Amino acid sequence: MAAPTGQLVSAGARESVRARHTRRFIVGIAAIAALGGALFGYDTGVISGALPFMEGHFGLTSLGEGIITSALLIGAAFGSLIGGRMSDALGRRNSLLWAGAVFIGGAVAVALAPDVPFMTVARFVLGLAVGSASVITPLYLSEIAPPHIRGRLVSFNSLMIVSGQLLAYLINAFLAQWAAWRWMLGLAALPAVALFVGLFFLPDTPRWYISKGRQEEAARVLRRTLPADDVPAELARIDHARSLEADARRGGWQQLRTPWVRRLLLVGIGLAGVQQITGVNAVVYFAPKILASTGLGTGASITATIAVGVISVLATALGMSLIDRVGRRPLLLAGLTGMAVALALLGAAFHLPHSPAVSILVLALMVLYMAFMQATLNTGVWLLLAEMFPLRVRGLAMGAAVFMMWLVNFAVALAFPLLLDAVGAGTTFWLFGVMCVLSLVFCKRYAPETKGLALEDLEDELRKAAGAAPAAH
């Protein structure tokens, strides 16, 4: 017998209401948690506009500029190390709350810094929050998102990072007319407050609740993101996956001694280094200083940097759309080739006489370089690091690679102003071009291709590539 029409309409209406509630919940999660990515981007990008004014206020040398810029990065390196462990102990949400509180305090501290030592310490503390957020935010999003939108939601965090950098460039350009560098730095406290307050309205992830034996709370969260009939199976799947991962972690350190795993770890660390030694953050942190060296005024240099932020957002979106169609290796190789050409031309441009036309040419070549970088290398390296390691060492190996990424980032930020003084902008960018060529050789020889392979199948493929025997099944 058919159900009465009224009952069908009522059931349909209830399902429609539930779908709207689910969408609102997921949008709320994305909007609040991704503020961590936006703060990551803002706090790394804002220094480019503040630095020219801080230089005069504090009487900074090139070494002082490098120290203030890189203090955040060495803090981020250690923050990335503690972020994962803290999220396991305190929970993903509570760890983001901690990062939000440090973001607030750090933003206020750098804005009020009376001298260089205080500024350096404040930037280091702020870096702890940046590094922690770089690990915890994608972890939180990946664990709480429904499976069918997990990839988009986690990739949204990457887009928010470059969007945060663009916001920093826009605010820098607006405030530059008043030389208001303290406001540039301090305004980061506003999204940090929004992150901190918003997290009080979000739950932790089902995976963390299950790891602490809180099954009912895990089920309550899943009922807000999945059809009710799917909840028991998802609970069982998460519980089973966690038990497998616990077994895997117990053998992780021993697995690192296996030759083929050790080789993969070295490749991963190499890829992390490639992402940084090719010069991207020299542009992100010092774009106005670079443009000013062509004869452009400080205010105009800061405003022109907006173009770098805009292209970073657009290129990241393009890279996200290409990565599964083109493949990881082809994207890396094409990007490094384009970056090398752009850097060679950029180095040559600095040997031309100063003029408005040369300033525009330098800006255009910087934008071209960033387009290649953000659409290919940045997108490809982060994805490969998430895919290429076997389960038993995935956490350990990715943690080591990300730590190395922050350390090389720190070294580049510290050395770049000194290189500008020692050999000039043209030679400095040619050196980055040489790094691109060496990185191209490294990626052609060692970077794995993971396109079209399920994560479960990757281990045997990578074993074969390294000359090891396939695992027994």
Side-chain angles (χ1 to χ4, degrees), residues 43-132:
D43 283 315
T44 53
V46 72
I47 195 66
S48 67
L51 205 56
F53 302 111
M54 292 166 62
E55 184 178 356
H57 182 87
F58 291 126
L60 294 177
T61 63
S62 293
L63 179 60
E65 290 179 25
I67 288 172
I68 284 178
T69 302
S70 58
L72 182 140
L73 307 174
I74 195 68
F78 288 101
S80 68
L81 282 182
I82 66 174
R85 291 186 178 275
M86 182 170 61
S87 70
D88 281 339
L90 302 180
R92 284 51 162 147
R93 191 200 70 148
N94 288 338
S95 297
L96 275 177
L97 274 170
W98 175 89
V102 177
F103 270 126
I104 295 168
V108 173
V110 296
L112 299 178
D115 51 39
V116 172
F118 188 100
M119 174 68 77
T120 302
V121 173
R123 291 267 297 168
F124 174 83
V125 171
L126 191 57
L128 293 175
V130 170
S132 296

Side-chain angles (χ1 to χ4, degrees), residues 263-264 267-268 271 327-330 332 380 384-385 387-389 442-451 453 458 461-462 465:
R263 181 177 183 273
L264 265 186
V267 171
L271 288 171
R328 286 59 160 157
R329 272 174 54 87
L332 291 181
L384 278 172
L385 292 181
E387 292 176 329
M388 63 184 284
F389 299 118
F442 173 84
C443 288
K444 188 174 179 63
R445 176 67 179 84
Y446 296 110
E449 177 56 76
T450 57
K451 175 192 171 186
L453 291 171
L458 273 175
E461 293 295 323
L462 294 170

Side-chain angles (χ1 to χ4, degrees), residues 158-159 161-163 165-166 169 280 283-284 305-319 366-367 369-371 373-375 378-379:
S158 299
L159 195 60
I161 293 172
V162 290
S163 298
Q165 289 173 346
L166 174 58
Y169 297 152
V280 59
V283 175
V284 171
T305 305
I306 293 171
V308 175
V310 171
I311 201 65
S312 292
V313 172
L314 296 177
T316 299
L318 176 64
M366 284 168 56
V367 166
Y369 162 79
M370 290 298 287
M373 167 65 198
Q374 299 288 12
N378 191 47
T379 307

